[in-house]
Amino acid sequence: MLPWIQLDSATIPGEGGELRLKQRGSEFSIMLGANELMNSRLSGSEEALATLSWERIKTHPKPRVLIGGLGMGFTLRAALAVLPDDAGVTVAELVPAVVAWARGPMAEVFKGCLDDPRVGIHQGDVGEAIRAGKNAYDAILLDVDNGPDGLTRKSNDRLYDFAGLRAARAALRPGGVLAVWSSGPDPDFTRRLRDSGFSVEAVNTRANGKRGGARHVIWLAIKPAR
C-alpha cells in the first residue's frame, strides 16, 4: 500500500490548530491532529448538503447561495451542477491555504469549479458573511466543522447558538433554507432550530452516498415564506 505523504500544513486563523494536507496516490486527506476532517474518496453527504437544499429552493428566481467551508469542493460542485446559470454562489473559507490547495495540488479534485463565473470567494469567517447579509440568500449551507459541536474552532459554536441561528434566519430570504452538515445527530440542536423560528427536518445520509460509509446528518431548516 502506498504511504501517506504530507504536502502542506496551515494554521487556522484566530485560535491556532493546524490543518495538514496529505496525499496517497490519487487520494487526498485533510487532517486536524489525529482527526480526518475530509477525504477525497468520501463525498456523498457533502454533495447531499447541496442537492437536498436545492430541492427546497428550486422555485426561487436567481437563487443566491452561501457555502460555509470550501473543503474539497464537493458541496460547491454539487451546487453548481443543479443551480441555474443566473445563480450566484459565495464560498466563505477562513483558511487561505485551503483555497490555494484547491487551485494547486487538489486541482484535479476541484475540476475548475472555482473558475465558474457564478462563484465568488469570501476570504474570512462565514459568520461574518451571514451577519452582513440581510435577506441576501436563498440557501446557507454550513459544513465548517464537525457539526453543531465545534471541533476545529470553538468559536464555530457561535454559528449554532440562538444568536447565530437568528442571524442566519435574518440573512435568508423568505422560504430560504439553512442546511447544516454534522457527523452525527444532535436533538438539542434540532430543538434550538425550531425555537429559532425554523421548520426543521433532519435527514440521515451516508458519507459515500448510496454506496455506504459512515452515517451523517443534514438539518434542513426552512425560514417561513411569510
Side-chain angles (χ1 to χ4, degrees):
M1 180 177 290
L2 291 172
W4 283 103
I5 299 170
Q6 182 167 317
L7 302 180
D8 197 9
S9 63
T11 300
I12 300 172
E15 298 177 24
E18 184 181 72
L19 297 181
R20 293 178 290 124
L21 176 64
K22 300 171 68 176
Q23 182 177 10
R24 181 174 63 187
S26 61
E27 180 182 2
F28 292 88
S29 173
I30 295 180
M31 304 285 295
L32 174 68
N35 297 301
E36 183 176 64
L37 298 181
M38 58 203 77
N39 185 290
S40 60
R41 295 175 58 194
L42 302 172
S43 61
S45 59
E46 287 86 353
E47 292 166 352
L49 185 66
T51 55
L52 290 171
S53 299
W54 170 242
E55 286 297 316
R56 274 72 182 173
I57 65 163
K58 60 185 179 182
T59 60
H60 292 210
K62 297 182 179 179
R64 294 295 178 263
V65 177
L66 173 64
I67 297 177
L70 176 60
M72 292 187 174
F74 297 127
T75 299
L76 174 59
R77 285 172 52 195
L80 293 175
V82 295
L83 287 167
D85 292 342
D86 60 358
V89 182
T90 300
V91 181
E93 175 53 56
L94 182 69
V95 184
V98 173
V99 179
W101 295 344
R103 298 189 183 280
M106 288 198 295
E108 185 60 31
V109 175
F110 278 79
K111 301 185 184 302
C113 65
L114 292 183
D115 298 321
D116 190 297
R118 294 172 290 178
V119 176
I121 298 292
H122 169 81
Q123 187 65 64
D125 192 326
V126 67
E128 297 172 358
I130 290 172
R131 290 189 293 272
K134 302 298 181 185
N135 293 309
Y137 302 108
D138 297 281
I140 298 172
L141 316 183
L142 296 181
D143 182 12
V144 298
D145 212 313
N146 218 36
D149 185 17
L151 175 67
T152 62
R153 298 172 77 226
K154 194 63 181 173
S155 63
N156 283 339
D157 291 346
R158 293 199 296 265
L159 292 169
Y160 309 113
D161 62 17
F162 280 114
L165 294 178
R166 284 195 297 269
R169 191 174 184 273
L172 287 170
R173 295 170 177 170
V177 58
L178 169 66
V180 178
W181 182 96
S182 177
S183 61
D186 187 334
D188 288 339
F189 183 58
T190 302
R191 286 192 291 271
R192 201 152 63 243
L193 283 166
R194 291 196 175 110
D195 290 344
S196 298
F198 292 98
S199 60
V200 185
E201 180 183 4
V203 178
N204 293 312
T205 185
R206 292 280 195 169
N208 211 16
K210 295 180 180 179
R211 291 170 290 177
R215 294 181 182 274
H216 296 153
V217 176
I218 294 172
W219 283 276
L220 299 163
I222 309 297
K223 178 178 178 175
R226 296 180 184 275

